[in-house]
Amino acid sequence: MNVLEPYMDLILSVVYLVGVLMFLTIFALLAVWLERKVSAHLQDRLGPMMTGGWHGWSQTIADALKLILKEDIIPAVADRKLFRLAPYLVFIGSLAGFAVLPFAHNLIGSDINIGVYYVIAITSLVVIGILMAGWASNNKWALYGAMRAAAQMVSYEIPVALSLLIPVLMAGTMSMQTIVQNQAGGFWNWYVFQSIPFSLVAFVIYFWASLAEVNRTPFDIPEAESELVAGFHVEYSGMRFAVFFLAEYGNMFVVSAIAATVFLGGWHAPFTFLDFIPGPIWFIGKSMGLVLVQLWLRWTLPRLRVDQLMHVCWKIFLPFSFANLLLVGLWVVLKG
Amino acid sequence: MEAIFFIILSIIIIFSSMMVILKKNPIASVLFLILALFSTAAMYVMLMAPFIAAIQIIVYAGAIMVLFLFVIMLLNLKKINEGGAVTLKILGVIVAGLMMVVTAVVLRSVAIPADSGFLRSSPEGFGTVENVGMTLFTTYLLPFEIASFLLLAAIIGAVVLAKKKL
């Protein structure tokens, strides 16, 4: 054991990383199945029912196997190196977000003191990966999709960051664990219900803007099927396409988990007498609840136009976020 | 351990910075620039300044580089034209060489004393958000405000230039 002592941190990190990777894969498989089921039931269909017996639960496993076995096609005119690199960059950007998600009071990759900021920073890798994929494909639809995605993600980063600042202001720290610990003792202590209505507004703005960050309907114009075929990943096939898919679902979980952490009390139970249920269950449960709302919205709302999308961001979300930030600042100062 | 990280990061930074100017394809240049900026952010983390590191990634590797990529893609520059006269290349080599000599002379003449603070390790909590914020809003308040006004003017100017009819 003594030989391993200096490397303990490294070993633990690797174990944690493998654990997160497995969690992400299982989550993506589950979420894709859930998405198909939710969409089917919203449209009065049944969705996949055959594979695996009970409500077609293993449909996505079969699909993933098919994707792995499919031929990997790289277009002849594509920039081969960038084309290959892009999906992994997007995936790394999504996976790196998991490093600061507090699953429980003692289960977090790294409780750095700029936790909230780190997430905002690291997700910009995704934009670069998407731009790279769109450009390297050498396909005009892919390029249009990538440019839309970049414009949208860069714009919506601002309301996301501003509304994340509100719980940071209220907690006086950016460390994820401290923010969660400050929300202990019942759901009325969660930041979303503090300083009403400002934090509620911040939560709503964050949730909508994060939908745009992860390119979900009603903000999914980067991959609008009816006009762009499939957007930036139109030329990808087989495993590389699956990596994009995995990253997309990973991002959905990351944005939901951040909302659950900073607004909804993280791993705390809504009532103190429910504390015997372990933290990860609450944390994953809250995040999954928000993911379900994302799915629900996707199959309910139509897609926005590009100009409407920019209008919503710059003329509605941004002024409201700024006003919100000022008012919460005042609230924090007056509260002492 | 720290030395190993430093050496690896330095090699990445130097290599990618060189590739920025050596690559013919402007997109590849920008991507290498992003790599260089990311590695610089990692350097900041090693210097106990995580906040600056996050800012570096958000501002440079995130926003500005995405704009660079955007512009290059919009202009659709495939490759920078090769060639240029031989005399131009020779001139370039001479200028670069002179520049290197000047830099070397200047660097040699500035001996950094051991107690100047350059070589001292940073105090506890040096680069945290709290300390950076405190310094920015007390000691350097005026420069900070002036910089914000400058940026505001730039934003308004860009809007005025871009919009034909206000």
Side-chain angles (χ1 to χ4, degrees), chain A residues 79 82 113-114 117 120-122 124-125 127-128 131-132 135 138 143 147 150-151 154 174, chain B residues 25 27 31 34 38 50-51 54-55 57-58 61-62 66 69-70 73-74 78 128-130:
Chain A
D79 188 320
L82 293 183
N113 60 3
I114 50 157
Y117 226 69
I120 300 172
I122 208 72
S124 56
L125 249 185
V127 188
I128 292 164
L131 268 178
M132 223 169 169
W135 188 81
N138 213 342
L143 189 59
M147 296 190 109
V154 170
M174 285 195 184
Chain B
N25 187 339
I27 294 274
L31 291 171
I34 292 172
F38 249 94
F51 182 64
I55 294 269
I57 293 179
I58 290 178
V66 170
L69 278 178
F70 235 89
M73 284 176 183
L74 277 177
K78 284 287 181 214
T128 58
V129 189
E130 292 88 349

Side-chain angles (χ1 to χ4, degrees), chain A residues 11-288:
Chain A
I11 294 168
L12 279 179
S13 310
V14 171
V15 169
Y16 192 78
L17 187 65
V18 172
V20 165
L21 216 55
M22 278 166 66
F23 173 79
L24 177 57
T25 317
I26 293 168
F27 166 78
L29 289 175
L30 183 72
V32 174
W33 175 75
L34 211 58
E35 171 126 50
R36 298 177 68 170
K37 282 313 226 187
V38 168
S39 68
H41 284 282
L42 280 173
Q43 297 166 346
D44 213 6
R45 298 183 282 120
L46 285 173
M49 287 298 280
M50 304 306 248
T51 324
W54 185 76
H55 284 271
W57 65 273
S58 61
Q59 182 65 48
T60 40
I61 300 174
D63 285 345
L65 280 175
K66 187 200 81 177
L67 279 176
I68 294 170
L69 295 174
K70 258 178 93 168
E71 188 192 351
D72 177 35
I73 301 166
I74 299 177
V77 285
D79 188 320
R80 294 182 73 87
K81 276 185 208 150
L82 293 183
F83 188 84
R84 284 186 184 167
L85 184 62
Y88 303 114
L89 211 58
V90 174
F91 182 69
I92 289 169
S94 156
L95 188 67
F98 277 83
V100 292
L101 294 185
F103 281 89
H105 66 94
N106 53 1
L107 192 62
I108 182 169
S110 169
D111 188 22
I112 47 178
N113 60 3
I114 50 157
V116 178
Y117 226 69
Y118 164 83
V119 176
I120 300 172
I122 208 72
T123 41
S124 56
L125 249 185
V126 178
V127 188
I128 292 164
I130 286 177
L131 268 178
M132 223 169 169
W135 188 81
S137 302
N138 213 342
N139 171 317
K140 60 180 161 188
W141 307 123
L143 189 59
Y144 274 134
M147 296 190 109
R148 282 182 180 191
Q152 169 176 336
M153 289 166 92
V154 170
S155 317
Y156 274 86
E157 227 164 51
I158 301 166
V160 162
L162 285 175
S163 35
L164 280 180
L165 268 183
I166 278 148
V168 168
L169 259 180
M170 289 157 72
T173 173
M174 285 195 184
S175 140
M176 293 293 224
Q177 282 296 25
T178 323
I179 290 177
V180 174
Q181 273 151 16
N182 285 353
Q183 304 177 68
F187 69 86
W188 52 89
N189 281 339
W190 294 355
Y191 279 146
V192 67
F193 298 122
Q194 298 282 309
S195 83
I196 281 183
F198 310 129
S199 49
L200 199 65
V201 172
F203 175 63
V204 171
I205 290 178
Y206 172 77
F207 188 75
W208 281 101
S210 71
L211 284 182
E213 279 276 282
V214 296
N215 300 332
R216 299 279 305 178
T217 322
F219 305 114
D220 70 336
I221 52 158
E223 39 195 282
E225 300 91 348
S226 44
E227 33 186 316
L228 288 184
V229 195
F232 61 89
H233 54 54
V234 62
E235 292 287 1
Y236 284 84
S237 63
M239 207 48 219
R240 281 179 223 284
F241 174 73
V243 171
F244 271 126
F245 228 63
L246 202 62
E248 189 185 327
Y249 280 86
N251 268 331
M252 275 167 68
F253 185 82
V254 169
V255 295
S256 305
I258 291 163
T261 308
V262 300
F263 289 109
L264 300 177
W267 36 262
H268 283 303
F271 297 100
T272 34
F273 64 83
L274 287 172
D275 274 346
F276 64 92
I277 300 174
I281 292 180
W282 287 116
F283 180 74
I284 294 170
K286 285 169 185 172
S287 312
M288 279 305 281

